[in-house]
Amino acid sequence: PKDNWEIKTRVVLALISLFIAKTLGVVSPLLQAQAVDNLSSNGVSDLMLGAIGLTVAYGVARIVTNAFQQLRDAIFAKVGQRALRQIALETFKHIHQLSLRYHLTRKTGGLSRVIERGVKGVDFLLRLSLFSIVPLIFELVLVASILFWKLDDIRYVSIIVVTIVIYVWFTFTVTEWRVKLRRKMNEHDTDANQKAIDSLLNFETVKYFGAENREALRYDQAMGGYEKSALKTSYSLAFLNFGQAFFITVALVVVMILAATGVQKGDLSVGDFVLVNAYMIQITMPLN
């Protein structure tokens, strides 16, 4: 919002907290890998103490990472709620400016459900755009750079890039198909809610004409349409989740086989193997 420096400052502070958390999250697997290397060496006391110290540092890094993530959410909470309040208020004012003809159609139930979905969608889009897309790209670049520097092998980075491209293509394609199913489900949901609320608002009229069974039948038909659409949406979501998991798992297995082969040849250490596994899991979690 213009001239609202508190909100703007909160957004900047939330982004700073997010990038600190991402950076610490990328550094922590390096400490874990170094600890594993120390433990896999000869059991000398100073090496063991080093492994313990690295393990403690890894734990501290994880705690601080989580702390900055929670700080980000706490700082941004007021921004999200203020946005929801503004959108809800503007929508409310707009409804009062609509014509009498529109209000005489008695679409109170459907309208309330549309407003509810729209307002909640604003908060989701804010968090997605600020806290998911750009930070994810930042994290991927950071992880790819560290893997190339640490392992000195372009194959690991290539597999990650190819996997992400396929993952994004698959997700985008299936989601575009799911949007049509979801929109149909929302239409049936709005229709059912509209029939229920409007029937209750006109309770006296329904009672006067003895139309309870007719209203129940209309509501059941609307819910029947919603049931069919909801099932299609659930099935398509299951297909999307399976496809995403399949591509990620295949990439994880290929990368781990490469790392295991490197350890067997002596090119990589056991810590490097753990490092690759940790990074693969770390970059795939935000993708979902």
Side-chain angles (χ1 to χ4, degrees):
K2 294 180 180 179
D3 301 324
N4 194 331
W5 289 104
E6 181 189 0
I7 297 297
K8 294 180 179 180
T9 304
R10 282 178 175 272
V11 172
V12 173
L13 291 176
L15 287 173
I16 291 173
S17 300
L18 173 65
F19 281 104
I20 292 175
K22 289 290 184 184
T23 305
L24 289 173
V26 170
V27 170
S28 57
L30 290 170
L31 300 173
Q32 184 186 30
Q34 189 61 48
V36 171
D37 283 338
N38 281 15
L39 288 171
S40 62
S41 304
N42 295 326
V44 185
S45 59
D46 59 340
L47 291 177
M48 292 297 293
L49 289 173
I52 293 173
L54 287 167
T55 304
V56 172
Y58 168 74
V60 171
R62 291 292 300 270
I63 292 173
V64 175
T65 299
N66 185 264
F68 273 103
Q69 288 175 345
Q70 300 305 318
L71 179 64
R72 175 205 71 186
D73 290 338
I75 293 173
F76 190 76
K78 188 171 184 178
V79 180
Q81 293 302 319
R82 180 60 58 87
L84 297 187
R85 177 181 170 185
Q86 282 189 318
I87 293 295
L89 178 61
E90 289 177 15
T91 307
F92 185 76
K93 288 180 178 178
H94 174 71
I95 292 170
H96 276 282
Q97 292 173 356
L98 296 176
S99 64
L100 179 62
R101 177 183 296 179
Y102 176 83
H103 287 281
L104 288 176
T105 57
R106 291 280 188 177
K107 294 183 178 180
T108 309
L111 193 61
S112 64
R113 187 57 60 92
V114 170
I115 294 172
E116 179 186 357
R117 280 198 296 264
V119 170
K120 287 182 178 179
V122 171
D123 182 58
F124 174 79
L125 287 174
L126 274 174
R127 292 184 178 276
L128 180 69
S129 57
L130 280 175
F131 297 150
S132 295
I133 299 174
V134 175
L136 177 60
I137 296 172
F138 170 76
E139 185 175 13
L140 290 174
V141 171
L142 207 57
V143 168
S145 302
I146 292 175
L147 283 177
F148 182 72
W149 162 72
K150 185 79 173 168
L151 307 179
D152 195 24
D153 193 337
I154 195 65
R155 290 180 297 175
Y156 295 95
V157 179
S158 300
I159 292 171
I160 291 174
V161 171
V162 170
T163 302
I164 291 173
V165 170
I166 294 174
Y167 184 100
V168 171
W169 167 80
F170 173 78
T171 303
F172 182 80
T173 304
V174 176
T175 302
E176 284 295 299
W177 165 55
R178 290 193 70 245
V179 163
K180 300 174 184 176
L181 301 177
R182 185 78 185 188
R183 183 178 291 118
K184 201 72 178 176
M185 187 186 78
N186 285 344
E187 289 174 358
H188 286 297
D189 179 48
T190 301
D191 184 46
N193 197 63
Q194 177 180 321
K195 284 181 169 60
I197 298 297
D198 294 351
S199 179
L200 293 174
L201 287 175
N202 294 279
F203 173 77
E204 292 181 356
T205 306
V206 173
K207 251 330 189 188
Y208 182 79
F209 288 100
E212 293 92 338
N213 292 333
R214 177 177 175 275
E215 289 296 306
L217 180 62
R218 290 176 68 239
Y219 179 72
D220 185 57
Q221 288 174 346
M223 286 302 298
Y226 174 79
E227 180 185 10
K228 292 178 182 178
S229 299
L231 286 174
K232 291 179 181 179
T233 303
S234 299
Y235 297 154
S236 62
L237 179 61
F239 173 70
L240 175 63
N241 289 336
F242 174 77
Q244 290 175 331
F246 174 78
F247 292 123
I248 292 299
T249 304
V250 169
L252 178 62
V253 170
V254 172
V255 168
M256 296 311 296
I257 289 174
L258 275 177
T261 305
V263 173
Q264 194 174 29
K265 291 180 179 179
D267 298 332
L268 302 179
S269 65
V270 179
D272 292 332
F273 180 83
V274 174
L275 181 71
V276 170
N277 181 62
Y279 275 147
M280 284 300 295
I281 294 175
Q282 185 169 317
I283 63 176
T284 54
M285 287 176 62
L287 283 175
N288 190 44

